[in-house]
Amino acid sequence: MALLVHGLGCAARNRPPDLAVDPGVAGRVEVETLPDPAAKTPPLAGGRQLFLAPVPLETPLPAFPAVALADGMHPVVVVIRIVIGEQGNVLGVLDSPVAPYEAGSTALVFRAAVEEALRGWSYKPAIIRSFVGGEDINHDGRPDVDVVTQDTPVRSYLDLRFTFDVVDGRGQVRMRPGGTSQ
Protein backbone atom coordinates (compact mmCIF):
# COMPACT_ATOMS: atom_id res chain seq x y z
CA MET A 1 0.00 0.00 0.00
CA ALA A 2 1.44 3.39 -0.89
CA LEU A 3 0.49 6.67 0.68
CA LEU A 4 1.41 10.31 0.53
CA VAL A 5 4.62 11.12 2.39
CA HIS A 6 6.34 14.48 2.90
CA GLY A 7 9.90 15.41 3.86
CA LEU A 8 11.59 12.05 4.41
CA GLY A 9 15.36 11.78 4.20
CA CYS A 10 17.67 8.96 3.22
CA ALA A 11 19.19 6.69 5.83
CA ALA A 12 22.94 6.35 5.32
CA ARG A 13 24.67 3.01 5.93
CA ASN A 14 28.26 1.84 5.60
CA ARG A 15 28.81 -0.72 2.86
CA PRO A 16 30.90 -3.71 4.00
CA PRO A 17 33.25 -5.32 1.46
CA ASP A 18 32.14 -8.44 -0.45
CA LEU A 19 34.30 -11.56 -0.15
CA ALA A 20 35.03 -14.25 -2.74
CA VAL A 21 32.71 -17.25 -2.78
CA ASP A 22 32.63 -20.78 -4.15
CA PRO A 23 30.85 -20.52 -7.56
CA GLY A 24 29.01 -23.79 -6.81
CA VAL A 25 27.02 -22.14 -4.00
CA ALA A 26 24.11 -19.85 -4.76
CA GLY A 27 21.39 -17.99 -2.96
CA ARG A 28 17.79 -16.94 -3.38
CA VAL A 29 16.43 -13.42 -2.94
CA GLU A 30 12.72 -12.66 -2.55
CA VAL A 31 10.89 -9.37 -2.13
CA GLU A 32 7.33 -8.58 -1.12
CA THR A 33 5.36 -5.42 -0.42
CA LEU A 34 4.07 -5.12 3.14
CA PRO A 35 0.89 -3.34 4.21
CA ASP A 36 1.31 -0.48 6.67
CA PRO A 37 -1.54 -0.72 9.22
CA ALA A 38 -0.85 2.86 10.38
CA ALA A 39 -1.08 4.29 6.85
CA LYS A 40 -3.46 7.14 6.24
CA THR A 41 -5.12 8.05 2.97
CA PRO A 42 -3.89 11.38 1.61
CA PRO A 43 -6.40 14.23 1.82
CA LEU A 44 -8.57 14.34 -1.28
CA ALA A 45 -10.84 17.17 -2.41
CA GLY A 46 -14.55 16.52 -2.14
CA GLY A 47 -14.74 12.98 -3.55
CA ARG A 48 -13.66 14.24 -6.97
CA GLN A 49 -10.13 12.94 -6.53
CA LEU A 50 -8.55 9.51 -6.39
CA PHE A 51 -5.16 8.40 -5.07
CA LEU A 52 -3.32 5.95 -7.36
CA ALA A 53 -0.36 4.04 -5.91
CA PRO A 54 3.03 3.92 -7.65
CA VAL A 55 3.48 1.20 -10.27
CA PRO A 56 6.84 -0.61 -10.54
CA LEU A 57 8.69 -0.21 -13.83
CA GLU A 58 12.27 -1.40 -13.15
CA THR A 59 12.89 -3.36 -9.94
CA PRO A 60 15.93 -5.64 -10.22
CA LEU A 61 16.47 -7.80 -7.15
CA PRO A 62 19.61 -7.35 -5.03
CA ALA A 63 22.63 -9.57 -5.55
CA PHE A 64 23.16 -12.12 -2.82
CA PRO A 65 26.19 -10.94 -0.75
CA ALA A 66 29.15 -13.22 -1.43
CA VAL A 67 30.25 -13.24 2.22
CA ALA A 68 26.88 -14.67 3.25
CA LEU A 69 27.06 -17.41 0.60
CA ALA A 70 30.47 -18.42 1.92
CA ASP A 71 29.07 -18.70 5.45
CA GLY A 72 26.01 -20.77 4.38
CA MET A 73 23.77 -18.62 6.58
CA HIS A 74 20.16 -19.15 7.57
CA PRO A 75 17.56 -16.90 5.89
CA VAL A 76 18.08 -13.18 6.54
CA VAL A 77 15.23 -10.67 6.29
CA VAL A 78 15.68 -6.96 5.53
CA VAL A 79 12.58 -4.77 5.88
CA ILE A 80 12.88 -1.21 4.61
CA ARG A 81 10.70 1.70 3.53
CA ILE A 82 11.42 3.38 0.22
CA VAL A 83 10.34 6.91 -0.57
CA ILE A 84 9.28 7.33 -4.19
CA GLY A 85 9.52 10.80 -5.69
CA GLU A 86 7.23 12.67 -8.03
CA GLN A 87 9.31 11.50 -11.02
CA GLY A 88 9.14 7.84 -9.93
CA ASN A 89 12.69 7.53 -8.64
CA VAL A 90 13.65 6.15 -5.22
CA LEU A 91 14.51 9.21 -3.11
CA GLY A 92 15.34 7.48 0.14
CA VAL A 93 15.69 4.20 2.00
CA LEU A 94 14.56 4.20 5.62
CA ASP A 95 14.06 1.68 8.39
CA SER A 96 10.48 0.46 8.16
CA PRO A 97 8.20 0.88 11.16
CA VAL A 98 6.23 -2.17 9.96
CA ALA A 99 8.80 -4.75 11.09
CA PRO A 100 11.81 -4.79 13.43
CA TYR A 101 15.27 -4.06 12.07
CA GLU A 102 17.79 -6.92 12.26
CA ALA A 103 21.01 -5.52 13.80
CA GLY A 104 24.60 -6.68 13.46
CA SER A 105 27.43 -6.57 10.94
CA THR A 106 25.90 -9.38 8.85
CA ALA A 107 22.65 -7.44 8.59
CA LEU A 108 24.62 -4.45 7.24
CA VAL A 109 25.91 -6.59 4.35
CA PHE A 110 22.35 -7.49 3.34
CA ARG A 111 21.06 -3.94 3.87
CA ALA A 112 23.88 -2.65 1.64
CA ALA A 113 22.91 -5.15 -1.10
CA VAL A 114 19.29 -3.96 -0.91
CA GLU A 115 20.26 -0.28 -1.07
CA GLU A 116 22.55 -0.93 -4.05
CA ALA A 117 19.70 -2.60 -5.97
CA LEU A 118 17.24 0.17 -5.06
CA ARG A 119 19.42 2.76 -6.84
CA GLY A 120 18.23 1.16 -10.10
CA TRP A 121 14.53 0.96 -9.24
CA SER A 122 11.98 3.18 -10.96
CA TYR A 123 8.22 3.58 -10.74
CA LYS A 124 5.37 5.29 -12.45
CA PRO A 125 4.85 7.74 -9.56
CA ALA A 126 1.83 7.82 -7.29
CA ILE A 127 -0.70 10.39 -8.44
CA ILE A 128 -3.75 12.22 -7.24
CA ARG A 129 -6.20 12.16 -10.13
CA SER A 130 -8.81 14.93 -10.26
CA PHE A 131 -12.19 14.53 -12.02
CA VAL A 132 -15.19 16.60 -13.05
CA GLY A 133 -18.61 15.36 -14.09
CA GLY A 134 -18.84 14.87 -17.82
CA GLU A 135 -21.65 14.56 -20.30
CA ASP A 136 -25.17 13.50 -19.35
CA ILE A 137 -25.64 10.94 -22.12
CA ASN A 138 -28.99 9.52 -20.97
CA HIS A 139 -30.41 12.95 -20.01
CA ASP A 140 -31.28 12.03 -16.44
CA GLY A 141 -29.73 15.19 -15.01
CA ARG A 142 -26.53 13.45 -13.76
CA PRO A 143 -23.20 13.07 -15.51
CA ASP A 144 -22.74 9.58 -16.95
CA VAL A 145 -18.98 9.79 -17.17
CA ASP A 146 -16.15 11.35 -15.21
CA VAL A 147 -13.57 13.41 -17.07
CA VAL A 148 -9.99 13.50 -15.80
CA THR A 149 -8.88 17.09 -15.42
CA GLN A 150 -5.48 16.61 -13.84
CA ASP A 151 -2.98 13.98 -12.67
CA THR A 152 -0.68 15.36 -9.97
CA PRO A 153 2.38 13.23 -9.14
CA VAL A 154 3.03 12.97 -5.38
CA ARG A 155 5.65 11.45 -3.11
CA SER A 156 4.71 8.10 -1.67
CA TYR A 157 6.28 5.20 0.17
CA LEU A 158 6.30 1.43 0.15
CA ASP A 159 7.42 -0.99 2.83
CA LEU A 160 9.33 -3.93 1.37
CA ARG A 161 10.58 -7.19 2.85
CA PHE A 162 13.62 -8.80 1.19
CA THR A 163 14.40 -12.41 2.16
CA PHE A 164 17.87 -13.82 1.44
CA ASP A 165 18.27 -17.60 1.65
CA VAL A 166 21.02 -20.06 0.66
CA VAL A 167 19.97 -22.73 -1.86
CA ASP A 168 21.91 -25.98 -2.40
CA GLY A 169 24.23 -25.25 -5.31
CA ARG A 170 21.54 -23.61 -7.44
CA GLY A 171 20.65 -19.96 -7.56
CA GLN A 172 17.06 -18.81 -7.71
CA VAL A 173 15.60 -15.33 -7.78
CA ARG A 174 11.87 -15.18 -7.23
CA MET A 175 9.20 -13.07 -5.65
CA ARG A 176 6.28 -13.67 -3.36
CA PRO A 177 2.72 -12.90 -4.45
CA GLY A 178 2.00 -9.19 -4.12
CA GLY A 179 5.69 -8.34 -4.29
CA THR A 180 7.63 -6.25 -6.71
CA SER A 181 8.95 -8.07 -9.76
CA GLN A 182 11.84 -8.13 -12.17
Side-chain angles (χ1 to χ4, degrees), residues 88-111:
N89 54 328
V90 176
L91 296 178
V93 180
L94 310 167
D95 292 337
S96 173
V98 178
Y101 177 70
E102 212 173 296
S105 61
T106 304
L108 288 176
V109 172
F110 290 96
R111 172 76 178 240

Side-chain angles (χ1 to χ4, degrees), residues 5-10 81-83 91-92 94 155-157:
V5 176
H6 295 286
L8 294 175
C10 182
R81 173 170 286 180
I82 60 172
V83 180
L91 296 178
L94 310 167
R155 283 189 185 190
S156 61
Y157 69 84

Side-chain angles (χ1 to χ4, degrees), residues 19 45 67 71 96 105 108 115 124 140 143 148 151 167-168 174:
L19 302 177
V67 66
D71 290 345
S96 173
S105 61
L108 288 176
E115 290 187 22
K124 180 178 175 188
D140 65 355
V148 175
D151 280 347
V167 178
D168 295 324
R174 61 184 187 151

Side-chain angles (χ1 to χ4, degrees), residues 152-174:
T152 306
V154 294
R155 283 189 185 190
S156 61
Y157 69 84
L158 293 173
D159 291 294
L160 302 170
R161 175 179 21 225
F162 293 84
T163 304
F164 295 82
D165 196 7
V166 174
V167 178
D168 295 324
R170 204 177 92 207
Q172 295 178 358
V173 178
R174 61 184 187 151

Side-chain angles (χ1 to χ4, degrees), residues 44-78:
L44 302 174
R48 302 306 295 167
Q49 290 185 322
L50 176 66
F51 176 78
L52 299 173
V55 176
L57 299 174
E58 295 289 330
T59 57
L61 289 172
F64 201 104
V67 66
L69 283 174
D71 290 345
M73 303 188 65
H74 60 68
V76 174
V77 176
V78 176

